[in-house]
Amino acid sequence: MASDRDEILQAVSSAVLAVTRHLSVREVLQVIVRSAQRLLDARYAALGVPDDDGSFAEFVAEGLTDKQWDAIGPLPRQHGMLGAMLRDGTPVRLPDLRDDPRFEWWPKAHPVMRDFLGVPIRDGERVLGIIFLANKRAGGGFTQADQELLTLFAAHAAIALINARLYERGRELAMLEERNRVARELHDAVTQKLFSLRLSAQAAATMLDQAPGKVPDQAVAELERVQRLAGEALAELRAVIVELRPAELDRHGLAETLRKHVRMLDRLHPALVAFECGELPPLDAAVEVAVLRVAQEALHNALRHSGAVAVSVRLAYETGTLELTVRDDGSGFEQADSRGLGLVSMRDRVESVGGVMSVESVRGGGTTVRVEVGV
């Protein structure tokens, strides 16, 4: 009937608007699940977003208590019905999930689910996640109309989820660029001024030693104090710069942090950005920060200034040397045009941890930034 159709459309509209008002991915997932549960009157609802390691990067559910969640244990992996839906990318509607040959098992504390409806959330050919419902409250199981309604809702939810991801990535990138800017300014301006102050004090002390006549002991002591304070300030500033390292470095190390950064840039920019890394030994914190910042700066230059179609990042370790290579197929540049690319700052960073940096660029032939650090 027309009234029923209008009521359903109004419910879909309200649910989709509720989704689009939320900006974080986690909030969007929770609202999608809650809205779908209410929309189709289900006892249980869940949504899983797959990761690249056979598990789920995010998994949210409605209908379970915190105590039940704790008893169930770790997030599910991509097996059984969930794995089949990820592979096939098609809706599944069943009168009893347990009778389907694709069903495998549940953890001991998992609630019993009977009638089942699952729909992929898609972005073109790519499956962003799976939303599924179980145990319709009204009885009788899910209908073909329920499946069509959930499919319609999933199509709108995909847009909201994509927007939320773009917002989060943009916010992460802005925060990362701000941290880079602060660290770069500290390194380029304050560090160099302190270093110059220390050198000037040392030069003044040398001149006093060579000056004719007796120099007051107090003047010599004050110059020594200036040298010592400048050295201490320089050491403290370098420690602050290290502290500006992304929290990801502490949790995942250089390789995984750079891999995630490259993956984010690959999604945000039209150029293909690829990452390759061999096995790395434990690295000093200062080395990780320096190499990461140089890689980020080189990637920024390649993606913003070179017009590259493809950019590759490679980390490798061999015979005591860590090597970073960032290569692009962009427009290249002449050395006279490189002032705005931060190459001096990048080279200073590398040299501060005992490394060397080389840059090869040909007008119209791309650019390669190579860093080597003994570890």
Side-chain angles (χ1 to χ4, degrees), residues 245 282-289 353 375:
R245 63 192 251 132
L283 299 171
D284 181 78
V287 171
E288 287 190 322
V289 173
V353 292
V375 295

Side-chain angles (χ1 to χ4, degrees), residues 290-352:
V291 173
L292 177 64
R293 297 301 190 202
V294 169
Q296 291 170 339
E297 189 73 21
L299 283 165
H300 175 85
N301 290 338
L303 294 170
R304 295 291 179 88
H305 304 301
S306 76
V309 174
V311 184
S312 65
V313 181
R314 181 176 181 269
L315 270 179
Y317 172 78
E318 187 174 356
T319 62
T321 300
L322 175 69
E323 182 177 304
L324 165 73
T325 306
V326 181
R327 180 177 290 111
D328 69 68
D329 61 358
S331 58
F333 59 87
E334 303 290 346
Q335 287 298 319
D337 300 330
S338 66
R339 292 182 180 179
L341 300 179
L343 298 183
V344 173
S345 174
M346 293 162 65
R347 187 169 281 108
D348 284 347
R349 284 188 185 278
V350 174
E351 291 176 354
S352 72

Side-chain angles (χ1 to χ4, degrees), residues 202-282:
Q202 289 173 348
T206 301
M207 292 173 65
L208 285 177
D209 287 340
Q210 298 173 354
K214 182 173 177 56
V215 177
D217 292 340
Q218 186 178 357
V220 175
E222 285 300 315
L223 276 176
E224 289 176 349
R225 182 170 176 270
V226 169
Q227 291 182 59
R228 187 180 72 256
L229 290 176
E232 290 174 359
L234 193 57
E236 290 176 4
L237 183 60
R238 283 173 175 161
V240 169
I241 293 173
V242 169
E243 287 299 318
L244 283 171
R245 63 192 251 132
E248 291 288 318
L249 275 178
D250 293 321
R251 290 195 296 267
H252 303 298
L254 175 62
E256 186 60 23
T257 300
L258 191 50
R259 178 182 286 109
K260 288 185 176 182
H261 184 68
V262 167
R263 188 182 302 162
M264 178 179 67
L265 294 178
D266 183 52
R267 291 169 176 168
L268 288 174
H269 293 274
L272 174 65
V273 191
F275 180 74
E276 177 187 352
C277 182
E279 186 173 347
L280 303 182

Side-chain angles (χ1 to χ4, degrees), residues 60-251:
V60 297
E62 286 289 321
L64 297 173
T65 65
D66 292 339
K67 186 175 180 179
Q68 285 176 302
W69 261 121
D70 293 339
I72 290 171
L75 294 181
R77 296 191 63 79
Q78 298 170 22
H79 65 85
M81 182 59 73
L82 297 183
M85 290 185 65
L86 284 174
R87 290 190 298 273
D88 300 340
T90 55
V92 174
R93 180 164 54 89
L94 301 168
D96 195 321
L97 173 63
R98 298 164 295 180
D99 295 337
D100 192 279
R102 292 168 292 184
F103 171 74
E104 292 183 359
W105 56 278
W106 287 318
K108 185 176 180 180
H110 198 284
V112 174
M113 296 182 177
R114 298 178 299 276
D115 43 307
F116 177 90
L117 174 60
V119 170
I121 298 176
R122 308 175 63 97
D123 176 21
E125 297 299 316
R126 185 164 62 103
V127 176
L128 301 176
I130 299 171
I131 183 168
F132 63 89
L133 310 173
N135 298 14
K136 191 172 178 71
R137 294 179 189 274
F142 296 100
T143 65
Q144 178 63 34
D146 291 333
Q147 179 176 324
E148 292 172 358
L149 180 57
L150 188 60
T151 301
L152 173 65
F153 178 68
H156 288 81
I159 298 172
L161 182 55
I162 292 168
N163 286 342
R165 282 181 168 176
L166 289 173
Y167 174 82
E168 282 201 344
R169 288 173 190 146
R171 184 174 58 184
E172 289 171 4
L173 189 58
M175 290 174 62
L176 188 59
E177 288 181 347
E178 178 62 14
R179 289 170 70 94
N180 287 347
R181 184 191 66 78
V182 172
R184 186 164 53 245
E185 287 184 358
L186 286 172
H187 185 276
D188 292 352
V190 184
T191 300
Q192 291 179 13
K193 287 178 180 177
L194 283 172
F195 188 69
S196 298
L197 174 62
R198 194 178 183 188
L199 286 179
S200 298
Q202 289 173 348
T206 301
M207 292 173 65
L208 285 177
D209 287 340
Q210 298 173 354
K214 182 173 177 56
V215 177
D217 292 340
Q218 186 178 357
V220 175
E222 285 300 315
L223 276 176
E224 289 176 349
R225 182 170 176 270
V226 169
Q227 291 182 59
R228 187 180 72 256
L229 290 176
E232 290 174 359
L234 193 57
E236 290 176 4
L237 183 60
R238 283 173 175 161
V240 169
I241 293 173
V242 169
E243 287 299 318
L244 283 171
R245 63 192 251 132
E248 291 288 318
L249 275 178
D250 293 321
R251 290 195 296 267

